Amino acid sequence: MKHVSRYHPLLVTLHWVLAFLIIAALTLGFFGLAATPNADPQKIGILRVHMAGGMLILALMGIRFIVRMLTSRPADATTGYPVLDRIAPISHYGFYLLVLLMAGTGYTTAILAGLNKIVFQGSGNSLPPSFAVYPTFVAHFYIATLLVGLIILHVLAAFYHQFVKRDRLLRRIFFARGVSNPSAPTE
C-alpha cells in the first residue's frame, strides 16, 4: 500500500460516527437501562433503541474493519516509548474485539430473555424481572466497563499526542482541507 498522511475519508467518517454511536449506546446502557426497572413499561422503548443501536454499531464496525484492511493508512504513530508503541495497535484491535463481544453477549442475552418478541414484535409479554440471571448479561456489563476504560485510554493517548508531543496526530483522523504535509510542525 502507498504511504499516506491521513486516513481514508470513509474511514474517518466511520470512526466519528462509531465513536458517537458507541458512546451513546454505553451511556444509554449505564444510565438509561440500568436506572430503569424491568417492570417499567418505558424500558422496552429504551431497549429497542439500545438494541437497534447495537446492531447498527456491529454492522458499521464490520464495514470499518473491511475499509481499514483495504485502504492505505498513515504510518504508525510513535511516542518515543517502545512499550507504549506496542500497546497502541493492541488497543486499536481491542476496540474491534470488545465491540464484537458486546454485540455477541447482547445478542445472546436477547435470545435467552426472548427480547426479540417483547421489544421488536410487541408480543405484550413482560420483561424478565432481572437480566442479571443471564451470564451473558453479566459479561455484557463487564465488557462494557472494559470498553469505557479503553475509550478513556484512547482519548488520553490522543490528547497526549496532540497537546504534549504536539505531533498533530489528530489531523490524521479528521477530514483534509488541502494540507500537503500535515505532519510538519507549524509555528
Side-chain angles (χ1 to χ4, degrees), residues 19-40:
F20 173 78
L21 289 173
I22 290 169
I23 291 169
L26 288 167
T27 302
L28 189 60
F30 281 117
F31 299 107
L33 290 171
T36 306
N38 282 13
D40 187 334

Side-chain angles (χ1 to χ4, degrees), residues 23-182:
I23 291 169
L26 288 167
T27 302
L28 189 60
F30 281 117
F31 299 107
L33 290 171
T36 306
N38 282 13
D40 187 334
Q42 291 184 341
K43 185 142 187 178
I44 292 173
I46 300 170
L47 269 170
R48 186 177 299 118
V49 172
H50 184 73
M51 292 169 67
M55 290 184 275
L56 178 60
I57 289 167
L58 180 62
L60 291 176
M61 281 296 282
I63 293 167
R64 186 179 193 280
F65 184 76
I66 292 167
V67 171
R68 191 170 198 276
M69 293 296 112
L70 296 177
T71 59
S72 297
R73 54 187 181 271
D76 291 338
T78 60
T79 61
Y81 301 98
V83 172
L84 292 178
D85 292 343
R86 283 189 210 110
I87 292 172
I90 293 168
S91 69
H92 285 106
Y93 285 107
F95 275 117
Y96 290 104
L97 177 63
L98 290 178
V99 169
L100 182 62
L101 290 172
M102 285 293 295
T105 55
Y107 185 74
T108 306
T109 302
I111 290 171
L112 294 172
L115 294 182
N116 183 45
K117 290 181 180 178
I118 297 169
V119 174
F120 292 110
Q121 295 177 5
S123 70
N125 296 344
S126 58
L127 294 171
S130 173
F131 293 121
V133 298
Y134 304 107
T136 54
F137 175 78
V138 175
H140 194 69
F141 169 78
Y142 285 115
I143 294 166
T145 304
L146 285 172
L147 188 55
V148 168
L150 193 56
I151 290 168
I152 291 169
L153 181 67
H154 188 68
V155 170
L156 290 174
F159 286 168
Y160 170 77
H161 276 279
Q162 189 68 23
F163 300 114
V164 176
K165 284 203 60 153
R166 296 179 186 251
D167 60 7
R168 301 171 64 186
L169 184 74
L170 287 178
R171 293 181 60 99
R172 297 166 15 141
I173 200 68
F174 282 103
F175 295 99
R177 293 176 101 175
V179 177
S180 60
N181 187 3

